[in-house]
Amino acid sequence: MLNTIDLDKIDVTSAPPQEEPGRQYYFMAKCRQYTKRFVAEHGRCPTAHVQNYGCQMNARDSEKLTGILESVGYEITDTEEADFVIYNTCTVRENANNKVWGRLGYLGAYKKKHPQMKIALCGCMMQEAEVLEKLKKSYRYVNLVFGTHNIYKFAELLCTALAQEGMVIDVWEDTDKIVEDLPMERKYAFKSGVNIMFGCNNFCSYCIVPYVRGRERSRRPQDILREIERLAADGVVEIMLLGQNVNSYGKNLEKPMTFARLLSEIEQIEGIRRIRFMTSHPKDLSDELIEVMGKSKKICNHLHLPLQSGSSRILKEMNRQYDKEQYLALVGKIRKAVPDIALTTDIIVGFPGETEEDFSETMDVVRQVGYESAFTFIYSKRTGTPAAAKQDQVPEEVVKDRFDRLLKEVQECAFRRAEALTGRTEEVLVEEVNSQDCSLVSGRMGNNFIVHFPGGKELIGTIVNVRLKECKGFYFYGELAE
Ligand code: SAH
Ligand code: SF4
Ligand code: F3S
């Protein structure tokens, strides 16, 4: 672990070691020489900015990047006007992609005035061949480009990019490697994401993730448990286990293990008060998991269960491997075992060939389940996925109309679910001082709803009882119950 390693004691005049993570520590020590020289020349630390564009897994990767930058001597800043800027990109939908191109143009203009600055790009978008081509052709001012599989090599790549001019590119097709024990800087002191697996094997026909994140790989349970024990010792009370399909955790391990079993072991760790996880693919959600959730004192009463579509025909086209009836039966089983559970979901509107009848099946599931919240997405065509080759793309105005109707239904449903909680007293993990009214603090209940209530910053990171006084749709106003 980095805390126990003194980077200044590493001999950087000898050849770098071959094994990981020792090799990366060597390059961190080398980068530190660069930042020390920078301080001597400029009388200040070099600054770095890490911008995240993706999902929770990307956010966790950004914490790794930040951890490494901090440990080599960068001062982390909120602004892009920094000596080193890195964008951790996402490409799940076209608009995620567009945002990055837009910001990059902006950054290029800034770099013209500050030629010493370095720009780096990493993450899912970099795994796409056409993105690399575009960068090589029209964005020569970018200094470093790497992908999702070799993020553990960041220190080494940074070292190379600092030492030379021009563009350093290192993008791998896939990997079976998982490197443990690299430094990480957490955004919150009291809660943390924990990767339990990487990649995805499901190939839903609309989705680019399996192509940019590679095949599914589970971390060894002992590495996960050790990381969580350390987090607990460091004051973390809530963890979010992360994977594209946590329900298939452990299948490819030397000694296979189920996700439910992993949860039971995590439950034993002292200091951890709340356990969350995402994402659960309905096709792999086992009875064993439902049983563990029903019994657990620490697993939050919230399940994110992506539906994608309510039409069995479309679900088949999407390669989701469940149908409407199976999904609804699963929801029934979960509600029975965990009566208080909050259900949230992801839904795609306008998948190729979606008819009004298919869409009404989706609306029907939304009404039947009564989600506490739902992320609704307009289908986005991703190059290389099977759905992109389909001829019957749905016209934009039809999609927009369905999207609006779905959003309205989802919001009304969420409001009804939330309103029913008014008057109850709930355990709340206090996360921050309210950004609009500093006499209030904001926190999250186990079911993931947010509540604002009068309190001071000393409450941050603690779990308190709050009475829910007033429902505002997606959040509540409350008061301390003790
Ligand atoms: N692994 C998770 C989802 C990861 S992507 C799962 O299977 O549930 C997050 C969400 O983005 C997906 O659930 C899906 O609703 C949405 N999404 C993925 N690809 C998309 C596309 N091409 N167009 C629109 N939404 C998409
Ligand atoms: Fe994409 Fe499906 Fe994998 Fe989720 S399970 S990341 S939607 S391919
Ligand atoms: Fe985006 Fe990659 Fe996550 S494509 S949603 S950042 S896995």
Side-chain angles (χ1 to χ4, degrees), residues 239-253:
I239 51 157
M240 164 81 94
L241 306 174
L242 299 171
Q244 292 299 350
N245 176 12
V246 291
N247 297 331
S248 71
Y249 170 79
K251 288 189 180 152
N252 59 359
L253 285 169

Side-chain angles (χ1 to χ4, degrees), residues 302-314:
H302 169 216
L303 181 67
H304 186 67
L305 195 63
L307 168 69
Q308 312 302 2
S309 168
S311 153
S312 296
R313 191 184 72 83
I314 293 288

Side-chain angles (χ1 to χ4, degrees), residues 303-329:
L303 181 67
H304 186 67
L305 195 63
L307 168 69
Q308 312 302 2
S309 168
S311 153
S312 296
R313 191 184 72 83
I314 293 288
L315 284 168
K316 196 156 196 296
E317 295 280 310
M318 286 177 161
N319 190 28
R320 288 291 287 181
Q321 306 195 33
Y322 54 85
D323 62 20
K324 180 183 178 188
E325 284 66 37
Q326 284 165 326
Y327 185 93
L328 287 171

Side-chain angles (χ1 to χ4, degrees), residues 40-221:
E41 279 169 30
H42 298 83
R44 63 168 179 91
C45 288
T47 53
H49 177 73
V50 182
Q51 181 68 46
N52 190 57
Y53 286 92
C55 61
Q56 267 129 332
M57 261 157 286
N58 249 40
R60 188 67 179 146
D61 285 344
S62 292
E63 292 186 338
K64 293 178 196 164
L65 301 170
T66 307
I68 290 170
L69 286 164
E70 279 202 328
S71 57
V72 306
Y74 277 92
E75 189 189 316
I76 304 298
T77 144
D78 286 346
T79 105
E80 287 176 340
E81 298 180 358
D83 299 301
F84 182 83
V85 173
I86 182 160
Y87 287 164
N88 190 9
T89 63
C90 170
T91 187
V92 74
R93 286 170 291 275
E94 185 70 33
N95 54 2
N97 215 293
N98 287 341
K99 256 191 250 167
V100 171
W101 292 122
R103 289 311 304 170
L104 202 53
Y106 213 73
L107 207 55
Y110 179 76
K111 190 175 175 176
K112 274 215 173 100
K113 289 187 219 134
H114 303 85
Q116 298 309 317
M117 85 174 293
K118 299 268 180 188
I119 300 175
L121 297 172
C122 67
C124 294
M125 209 173 135
M126 300 305 121
Q127 295 294 140
E128 292 181 278
E130 60 272 27
V131 168
L132 287 186
E133 282 316 306
K134 191 166 163 180
L135 284 169
K136 280 191 240 173
K137 208 164 142 236
S138 314
Y139 295 81
R140 296 301 312 173
Y141 55 84
V142 173
N143 302 91
L144 171 61
V145 178
F146 58 99
T148 54
H149 303 302
N150 54 348
I151 188 168
Y152 73 86
K153 265 183 74 180
F154 176 48
E156 183 169 350
L157 295 167
L158 177 65
C159 212
T160 316
L162 289 173
Q164 70 182 61
E165 289 303 316
M167 198 185 244
V168 177
I169 301 183
D170 192 7
V171 176
W172 300 357
E173 288 267 303
D174 204 348
T175 185
D176 53 9
K177 205 166 173 156
I178 298 178
V179 176
E180 299 286 345
D181 289 342
L182 290 170
M184 264 188 247
E185 181 57 34
R186 287 200 313 278
K187 193 167 167 207
Y188 296 96
F190 51 87
K191 68 170 186 179
S192 178
V194 174
N195 294 111
I196 63 166
M197 59 208 296
F198 303 95
C200 181
N201 284 355
N202 291 305
F203 291 95
C204 301
S205 65
Y206 51 83
C207 184
I208 200 168
V209 171
Y211 304 89
V212 296
R213 285 269 168 182
R215 294 296 60 74
E216 191 175 289
R217 304 169 306 282
S218 294
R219 280 176 78 193
R220 297 185 312 165

Side-chain angles (χ1 to χ4, degrees), residues 186 189-192 225 227-239 265-275 297-299 427 429 461-463:
R186 287 200 313 278
F190 51 87
K191 68 170 186 179
S192 178
L225 294 167
E227 179 178 346
I228 300 174
E229 279 160 11
R230 279 199 198 120
L231 289 168
D234 200 28
V236 167
V237 291
E238 178 179 301
I239 51 157
E265 298 211 3
I266 293 172
E267 176 112 14
Q268 313 297 321
I269 298 176
E270 224 173 287
I272 296 298
R273 309 257 316 261
R274 279 180 166 186
I275 304 168
K297 299 256 177 307
K298 295 185 177 176
I299 299 174
E427 281 194 348
L429 171 59
T462 64
I463 295 179

